[in-house]
Amino acid sequence: KSQCARRKPYHVVLTAASGVYQEWQTRIAYYHYRKLKERAPCSDLGGFTRLLSTPDGAPDGLMAQIPTVLTKQLANGNCDTCDHGFVVMNRPWSLKQLAASPDWSTRLAEDYLFIMETDHLLLRAPPNTATPASPVAFGFYYMTYKYDPAKLKPVVERWHDPDQVDPIGPSPLIIHKAQLAELLDPFWSLCLQLKRDPQANAAFGWVLEMWAWALAAARAGVKHQVHRTFQAEPGGVGIDELSMYNIYHYTFDLDVAQWAWSKRRFMTSYPPRLTDPPDRRSRASVRTFVSMINEAIDSFGDGWRPALKPGQGEGGSLRPSRAGGRGERETSAVVDEQ
């Protein structure tokens, strides 16, 4: 009881877009959230909401399975409510819609939010050390002008002192709701400014939205608690130790001898069960990743296939993947073809 009494719960907000690619990732992420919440009832894990961005806010096939708030996806184009050819801008846009909706106070009952992504696997519940003035964020090695001073410093210093910008992004993030609400408008405004600035757009590239958050927070005087162990991002042959991390972020490809994995091989189909990597060459993070993915896939049984949208008839099945050429759920599709 004493441990539970010390809880400082946050509401988990998983930002997601429509389509099969993020659908299967979301189902795996939600499975491990539920497992961890049951296993650690006195942790700071609170409720869960999938913040789903779709064209016209249309529902998808997971509405009955996962608590969801629908938001309208940005239109194509270069207007103030357009995506500027950069789909990631739907994250700040959907958060703005959430903050303006009744769900902000009714569904999201906790004082703090934990912003996560579809390709996050929860290893252990992150402790909520955030305060109303100081959020918790992950320190990205590339989110500093020092990563490429010649390219980044001249751009960053146009908006803020480069040495006063935290090396973070808007996810993973634990933040007080009131503080997030105050930062959303400047966050969105900077997304637009940076996309419309040729020098900034070229320098920041695929992490432009992350720079928009870092700069908006810095300009508002917000200093994050930068935790390097908030998440692990193993790539290649993996890493030996995961015990200090809270999240496994499977953004980078894995490649161990003749065994390989890339989430990008499954843009239009669900991944089948993974084979085990070579024992002698695989590191602990690779074995943990395979185990967590397979455990989630197994839990869905024959339901591991694209979900039917409301009103859609029977259908939806695994399509052959480019990685292995087989669609059967029990067959691996992550073996290197070469």
Side-chain angles (χ1 to χ4, degrees):
K1 290 183 179 179
S2 60
Q3 182 181 355
C4 287
R6 293 193 296 269
R7 289 181 72 227
K8 191 163 70 170
Y10 44 69
H11 194 97
V12 179
V13 176
L14 181 145
T15 57
S18 59
V20 170
Y21 180 56
Q22 293 207 353
E23 179 182 293
W24 65 257
Q25 294 176 41
T26 297
R27 296 179 76 183
I28 290 174
Y30 185 54
Y31 168 84
H32 283 291
Y33 156 80
R34 293 183 65 186
K35 177 186 175 183
L36 185 56
K37 185 168 173 58
E38 181 178 351
R39 191 177 71 197
C42 289
S43 75
D44 290 330
L45 278 176
F48 185 101
T49 294
R50 176 181 61 144
L51 184 59
L52 180 63
S53 176
T54 67
D56 297 320
D60 71 350
L62 298 183
M63 302 297 294
Q65 300 178 37
I66 300 176
T68 300
V69 169
L70 289 167
T71 60
K72 292 185 178 181
Q73 185 175 299
L74 289 163
N76 295 328
N78 299 314
C79 67
D80 285 354
T81 56
C82 294
D83 63 11
H84 295 253
F86 190 47
V87 68
V88 184
M89 288 178 67
N90 279 292
R91 175 160 52 189
W93 186 244
S94 64
L95 286 169
K96 275 174 57 67
Q97 293 177 71
L98 175 63
S101 75
D103 291 304
W104 184 254
S105 56
T106 56
R107 181 188 290 267
L108 280 60
E110 297 87 345
D111 290 334
Y112 291 86
L113 302 181
F114 169 25
I115 312 298
M116 62 178 286
E117 301 172 18
T118 57
D119 58 353
H120 285 173
L121 301 176
L122 288 175
L123 300 169
R124 53 194 52 82
N128 184 6
T129 62
T131 71
S134 178
V136 175
F138 175 66
F140 294 91
Y141 70 90
Y142 50 80
M143 286 300 297
T144 168
Y145 78 90
K146 296 175 184 177
Y147 178 67
D148 189 343
K151 180 175 74 172
L152 295 174
K153 188 174 183 180
V155 180
V156 175
E157 64 187 7
R158 290 171 51 200
W159 276 272
H160 200 67
D161 179 351
D163 291 308
Q164 299 302 314
V165 180
D166 291 334
I168 48 80
S171 174
L173 178 76
I174 301 175
I175 187 169
H176 196 279
K177 283 171 61 179
Q179 186 175 52
L180 179 60
E182 292 177 357
L183 290 172
L184 285 175
D185 280 343
F187 178 25
W188 175 247
S189 177
L190 267 176
C191 283
L192 294 175
Q193 291 178 48
L194 297 176
K195 278 304 291 182
R196 287 168 171 162
D197 184 285
Q199 185 185 17
N201 191 37
F204 294 150
W206 65 275
V207 292
L208 180 144
E209 177 253 7
M210 295 173 67
W211 274 106
W213 173 263
L215 288 167
R219 287 157 63 104
V222 174
K223 296 298 293 182
H224 297 75
Q225 301 172 40
V226 180
H227 291 183
R228 301 287 179 180
T229 58
F230 201 170
Q231 70 178 3
E233 296 185 305
V237 298
I239 59 177
D240 290 321
E241 185 59 61
L242 282 175
S243 63
M244 73 283 290
Y245 295 101
N246 302 116
I247 299 166
Y248 186 117
H249 184 202
Y250 56 97
T251 187
F252 296 121
D253 297 349
L254 300 174
D255 193 348
V256 183
Q258 296 301 306
W259 183 97
W261 159 266
S262 174
K263 66 176 183 177
R264 295 164 187 86
R265 291 176 175 174
F266 303 98
M267 301 289 288
T268 59
S269 65
Y270 273 39
R273 215 172 181 279
L274 281 64
T275 57
D276 292 328
D279 286 339
R280 287 182 297 175
R281 298 191 182 183
S282 65
R283 294 184 175 177
S285 69
V286 177
R287 295 192 295 273
T288 296
F289 173 73
V290 170
S291 175
M292 293 182 75
I293 294 293
N294 284 345
E295 179 184 335
I297 289 176
D298 290 346
S299 75
F300 294 107
D302 292 336
W304 185 244
R305 58 181 181 175
L308 298 176
K309 295 180 180 179
Q312 185 177 345
E314 289 298 321
S317 62
L318 284 171
R319 286 190 272 174
S321 79
R322 291 186 292 113
R326 301 180 184 88
E328 295 84 359
R329 189 177 61 83
E330 68 277 8
T331 305
S332 172
V334 294
V335 179
D336 195 335
E337 291 176 296
Q338 296 180 352

